[in-house]
Amino acid sequence: MNASIAIQVLPKVETDSEVCRIVDQVIAHIEQTGLSYYVGSFETTVEGEFEELMELIKECQYIAVKSGCPSVMSYVKISFKPEGGILTIDQKVSKHHR
Amino acid sequence: MNASIAIQVLPKVETDSEVCRIVDQVIAHIEQTGLSYYVGSFETTVEGEFEELMELIKECQYIAVKSGCPSVMSYVKISFKPEGGILTIDQKVSKHHR
Amino acid sequence: MNASIAIQVLPKVETDSEVCRIVDQVIAHIEQTGLSYYVGSFETTVEGEFEELMELIKECQYIAVKSGCPSVMSYVKISFKPEGGILTIDQKVSKHHR
Amino acid sequence: MNASIAIQVLPKVETDSEVCRIVDQVIAHIEQTGLSYYVGSFETTVEGEFEELMELIKECQYIAVKSGCPSVMSYVKISFKPEGGILTIDQKVSKHHR
């Protein structure tokens, strides 16, 4: 594993319930990749190989649009360490969720 | 409750273990406020009243610096709805963590 | 000067023209502080003393709300170096804008 | 034109001058694409077609690593409107830079 990303997708729709419905579709897409992921309050973190994560960022935008919003604004963090050995979600989060 | 924030603090230090040590101090500070918070992989979300959260953003920077880094870079998201009724951490996260 | 911030304010309104109208009011507020600032495509950078910039982040949220949006989402970057000597906007941008 | 992105690349190196050297290489790469771009203080905005911008995000990470940092952290904003008609850099920035 040489990368992790965090992604927040903000569909341009009017109601909070519509935002949630579309974000849930994006998260469902992330889940079906089989990658390790973690849903937070503003963003979802995913870890894996760099190239597949870059592809996933792109797919998430298409999923949002296909789910019914005319435009989307996304906020993405990318952590990339080609030699591997980045901090895992588990290393960063687990001790705080006991 | 009329606001929630997400905060990522990146202390300018050399090793991952030093980053973790300082970030842990920031999270400890957030915890002792008694506010509802949620630690994610890249950022920690906190919810409460707008003014106290703005104060907390400032305090987190001071905590990082006092914990031993010469400079700090932070990434903050602010959701503010004066009339109240913002989506809670629990509403956004719980269904995905069963 | 010991800090600089970048701030993107996203008012929750329906049309692009309404977004622009409210963002312009936030930028007008930043301008009247007399601080050095730089308007970018997604965010506006401001440099100054840490405490006054933390206050400015808070004020920008109030300005957005008072300008006519029921809620606002903001994305903020904070660079803080208590001893001073952070890179200035001018040092970072000028060579690319000749 | 149906998309615009903003990208901040933070190479994990020790000195500000090394950060600047690597960021300059990333900006040089963006420039040679021929796309319309705008260098800000914390991030560079680029506008174009969605697929080419997604490719560019990936390339920028590789450029940073090849320029000499063992790891990189990037912060990316993506605005995507498949039907076209997003606000251009010029529409958003020009009136503030007279």
Side-chain angles (χ1 to χ4, degrees):
Chain A
M1 196 188 79
N2 65 8
S4 73
I5 59 168
I7 184 163
Q8 177 188 22
V9 170
L10 270 189
K12 180 76 178 173
V13 287
E14 285 178 35
T15 65
D16 279 352
S17 64
E18 264 299 273
V19 171
C20 288
R21 184 185 65 77
I22 292 172
V23 169
D24 282 351
Q25 304 235 23
V26 173
I27 294 173
H29 179 75
I30 291 171
E31 179 165 33
Q32 61 80 33
T33 62
L35 293 168
S36 176
Y37 73 101
Y38 187 84
V39 178
S41 190
F42 285 103
E43 65 186 21
T44 295
T45 311
V46 193
E47 54 192 17
E49 294 304 313
F50 178 69
E51 291 267 347
E52 70 188 331
L53 293 178
M54 293 301 99
E55 194 63 24
L56 182 60
I57 292 169
K58 185 166 68 180
E59 291 166 8
C60 288
Q61 314 308 310
Y62 282 129
I63 296 289
V65 165
K66 283 177 189 160
S67 300
C69 59
S71 69
V72 63
M73 181 80 210
S74 293
Y75 296 85
V76 180
K77 297 169 182 168
I78 302 168
S79 175
F80 177 35
K81 198 172 185 176
E83 303 295 320
I86 63 164
L87 290 170
T88 63
I89 296 172
D90 193 56
Q91 285 172 307
K92 292 197 280 186
V93 170
S94 297
K95 64 183 165 188
H96 298 288
H97 288 275
R98 278 174 203 144
Chain B
M1 196 188 77
N2 64 9
S4 74
I5 59 169
I7 184 162
Q8 177 188 23
V9 171
L10 270 190
K12 181 77 178 171
V13 287
E14 285 178 33
T15 64
D16 279 352
S17 64
E18 265 297 274
V19 171
C20 288
R21 185 185 65 77
I22 292 171
V23 169
D24 282 352
Q25 303 234 24
V26 174
I27 294 173
H29 179 76
I30 291 170
E31 179 165 34
Q32 62 79 32
T33 62
L35 293 168
S36 175
Y37 73 102
Y38 187 83
V39 179
S41 190
F42 286 104
E43 66 186 23
T44 294
T45 311
V46 194
E47 54 193 18
E49 294 305 313
F50 178 69
E51 291 267 348
E52 69 187 332
L53 294 178
M54 292 303 99
E55 195 62 25
L56 182 58
I57 291 169
K58 186 166 67 180
E59 291 166 6
C60 287
Q61 314 306 311
Y62 282 129
I63 295 288
V65 164
K66 283 177 189 160
S67 300
C69 59
S71 70
V72 62
M73 181 81 210
S74 294
Y75 296 85
V76 180
K77 297 169 184 168
I78 301 168
S79 175
F80 178 33
K81 197 172 184 176
E83 304 294 320
I86 65 163
L87 290 170
T88 64
I89 296 172
D90 192 57
Q91 285 172 307
K92 292 197 280 185
V93 169
S94 298
K95 64 184 166 186
H96 298 289
H97 287 275
R98 279 173 204 144
Chain C
M1 196 188 78
N2 64 9
S4 74
I5 60 168
I7 184 162
Q8 177 188 22
V9 169
L10 270 189
K12 180 76 178 172
V13 287
E14 284 177 36
T15 64
D16 278 353
S17 65
E18 263 298 275
V19 171
C20 288
R21 184 185 66 77
I22 292 172
V23 169
D24 282 352
Q25 304 235 22
V26 173
I27 293 172
H29 179 75
I30 291 170
E31 180 165 34
Q32 63 78 31
T33 63
L35 293 168
S36 174
Y37 73 101
Y38 187 83
V39 178
S41 190
F42 285 104
E43 65 186 22
T44 294
T45 310
V46 194
E47 54 193 17
E49 294 305 313
F50 178 69
E51 292 267 347
E52 68 188 334
L53 294 179
M54 292 303 99
E55 196 62 25
L56 182 59
I57 292 170
K58 185 166 69 179
E59 291 166 5
C60 288
Q61 314 309 309
Y62 283 128
I63 296 290
V65 164
K66 282 177 189 159
S67 300
C69 59
S71 70
V72 63
M73 181 81 210
S74 293
Y75 296 85
V76 180
K77 297 169 184 167
I78 301 168
S79 175
F80 177 34
K81 197 173 185 177
E83 304 295 320
I86 63 163
L87 291 170
T88 64
I89 295 171
D90 191 57
Q91 284 172 308
K92 292 196 280 185
V93 170
S94 298
K95 64 183 165 187
H96 300 288
H97 287 275
R98 274 170 208 148
Chain D
M1 198 189 76
N2 63 9
S4 74
I5 59 168
I7 183 162
Q8 177 187 24
V9 170
L10 270 190
K12 179 77 180 173
V13 288
E14 284 177 35
T15 64
D16 279 353
S17 64
E18 265 297 273
V19 171
C20 288
R21 186 185 64 77
I22 293 173
V23 169
D24 281 352
Q25 304 235 23
V26 174
I27 293 172
H29 178 75
I30 291 170
E31 178 164 35
Q32 63 79 34
T33 62
L35 293 168
S36 174
Y37 73 102
Y38 187 84
V39 178
S41 190
F42 286 104
E43 65 186 22
T44 294
T45 311
V46 194
E47 53 193 16
E49 294 304 312
F50 178 69
E51 291 267 347
E52 69 187 332
L53 293 178
M54 292 301 100
E55 195 62 24
L56 182 59
I57 292 170
K58 186 166 68 180
E59 291 165 8
C60 287
Q61 314 307 310
Y62 282 129
I63 296 289
V65 164
K66 281 176 189 160
S67 300
C69 61
S71 69
V72 63
M73 182 81 210
S74 293
Y75 296 84
V76 180
K77 297 168 184 169
I78 302 168
S79 174
F80 177 34
K81 197 172 184 177
E83 304 294 320
I86 64 163
L87 290 170
T88 64
I89 295 172
D90 192 56
Q91 284 172 307
K92 292 196 281 185
V93 169
S94 297
K95 65 183 164 186
H96 300 287
H97 288 274
R98 275 173 207 148

